[in-house]
Amino acid sequence: MDMILDAIKKASIEIKNLIETGDTGKSQNQNSTGDTQLKLDIASDEIIESYFKKLSNVKAIVSEEQESVIDINQNGEYLIAYDPLDGSSLVDVNLSVGSIYGIYKDDFKGSNIVASIYVVFGPRVELVYCDGVSVKMFRLQNGEFNYIQDIKLYEIGKLQAPGSTQQCWYPYHKTMIDDFFKAGYRLRYSGGMVPDLHQILLKGGGLFSYPSTTDLPKGKLRQLFEVFPFALVYKCAGGGAIDGKHDLLSIKTLHIHDTSPCFFGSNDEIKKVIEVYKNNG
Ligand code: P6P
C-alpha cells in the first residue's frame, strides 16, 4: 500500500501545479457518462495513470475518465478505482476540488474495498488516508505531506450539504432536509463532493446527501470511485454511510460506472435518514 500512497502523493503535487497553470477549457471529448471532459480532467487522469502503470502491486485500474478497466500487472494485489479531479469545473471559479481513490482486492465492489484516499486541492493541499481502521490527514508543506491529525466524527453534527436539484427531490426527502434546517443545521454546499465531505469531517459532523431524484433515480455519484471510498472514510471516522436503507459498502455493483444514492454523516443524522427512508424510497 505504501507504493500506492507514494504514487498518489507524487501525482497530487503534479496535479496541484496543473490546477495552478493548466488550461481549464473544455476538450472535444466526453467521458463514459456523457460529461464533456475538461482538459484538466484528461491531464490529471494521464498523470495518475502514468504513476499507477509503474506499480507492480496494482492489477488493474478504473478511472471516471475512461470507459473500461485498464489492466496493469496480472500478478498485482490491488485494484484501484479513481476520480482524477472531481468537480473540476469549480477550478474556473477558484473553488476547491479533489481526487478520490478506492483501493480494492479481488473485485471492484463495495465489500472488497480495503482502503481509500482523497486529496483536497484548496487553499492548502490535504490528503486523507483511510486503511479501513483509522482516518489520517496529511498536509502538503514544502513539498512533503506531513501528518496533521486523525479525523473522528461526533455522534451529532451541525452542518448539512444537500446535493442535487431541489425541484427533483421527492417530497419526503425535501421534508427531511427542511427539518434538519429547522433544527438549526447550517448549509455548507459548494458542489464539490471532496471539499463538502472534507468540511463535515473536519467540523465534526453533519449530513451530506445526494439522493435518488426524479431525474436521477439511481443518484449521480459513482459507486467505485466516489461513493465507496467516502463510505469507508465516514464509517472509519465513527459515522455512517447508506443509500437510504442499506450500508453503502453492501450494495451491488453491476457496471464500473454505476451510481448510487448516498448519505454520509454522523450516526445521529444517519439514524434520522433511515427513519425517513424506511417507509419511503
Ligand atoms: P449537483 C461534481 O460534478 C459532482 O460530481 C460532485 O463533486 C458533487 O457532489 C456533485 O457533482 C454536485 O452535483 O447536482 O448538486 O450540482
Side-chain angles (χ1 to χ4, degrees), residues 86-87 163-165 189 191-194 208 210 220-222 226:
D86 182 81
S164 90
T165 311
Y189 194 76
M193 175 182 197
V194 176
F208 174 101
Y210 206 106
K220 172 184 183 183
L221 302 179
R222 282 76 162 192
E226 292 172 336

Side-chain angles (χ1 to χ4, degrees), residues 83-245:
D83 184 351
L85 201 59
D86 182 81
S88 54
S89 59
L90 295 170
V91 170
D92 249 352
V93 292
N94 203 25
L95 286 179
S96 299
V97 293
S99 306
I100 314 166
Y101 305 82
I103 318 294
Y104 300 82
K105 276 193 173 178
D106 304 322
D107 197 0
F108 282 111
K109 61 180 182 179
S111 55
N112 283 32
I113 193 167
V114 295
S116 55
I117 296 121
Y118 69 84
V119 181
V120 188
F121 299 98
R124 301 185 291 200
V125 177
E126 292 178 339
L127 180 149
V128 173
Y129 172 53
C130 175
D131 60 358
V133 176
S134 66
V135 180
K136 296 187 181 305
M137 185 176 88
F138 303 80
R139 184 172 295 146
L140 182 62
Q141 297 166 323
N142 304 315
E144 296 290 330
F145 280 92
N146 299 319
Y147 171 77
I148 302 297
Q149 65 177 79
D150 277 40
I151 296 177
K152 291 300 282 179
L153 286 166
Y154 300 125
E155 279 303 296
I156 188 166
K158 301 184 177 70
L159 304 182
Q160 180 167 216
S164 90
T165 311
Q166 296 198 22
Q167 71 194 43
C168 299
W169 288 350
Y170 288 107
Y172 58 84
H173 180 80
K174 176 157 176 40
T175 302
M176 181 185 80
I177 299 296
D178 291 345
D179 287 349
F180 277 116
F181 283 130
K182 285 174 190 162
Y185 282 72
R186 312 294 294 266
L187 171 62
R188 293 292 184 273
Y189 194 76
S190 73
M193 175 182 197
V194 176
D196 289 344
L197 284 162
H198 189 56
Q199 177 173 198
I200 290 173
L201 285 165
L202 289 184
K203 294 288 187 183
L207 180 68
F208 174 101
S209 55
Y210 206 106
S212 167
T213 55
T214 54
D215 62 336
L216 295 170
K218 292 189 176 176
K220 172 184 183 183
L221 302 179
R222 282 76 162 192
Q223 291 179 5
L224 290 179
F225 36 77
E226 292 172 336
V227 172
F228 294 157
F230 272 106
L232 187 68
V233 168
Y234 266 70
K235 289 175 71 176
C236 291
I242 59 173
D243 66 358
K245 297 179 189 293

Side-chain angles (χ1 to χ4, degrees), residues 4-14 127 138 145:
I4 292 172
L5 207 47
D6 188 54
I8 290 172
K9 289 175 181 176
K10 287 174 180 161
S12 298
I13 291 170
E14 288 192 36
L127 180 149
F138 303 80
F145 280 92

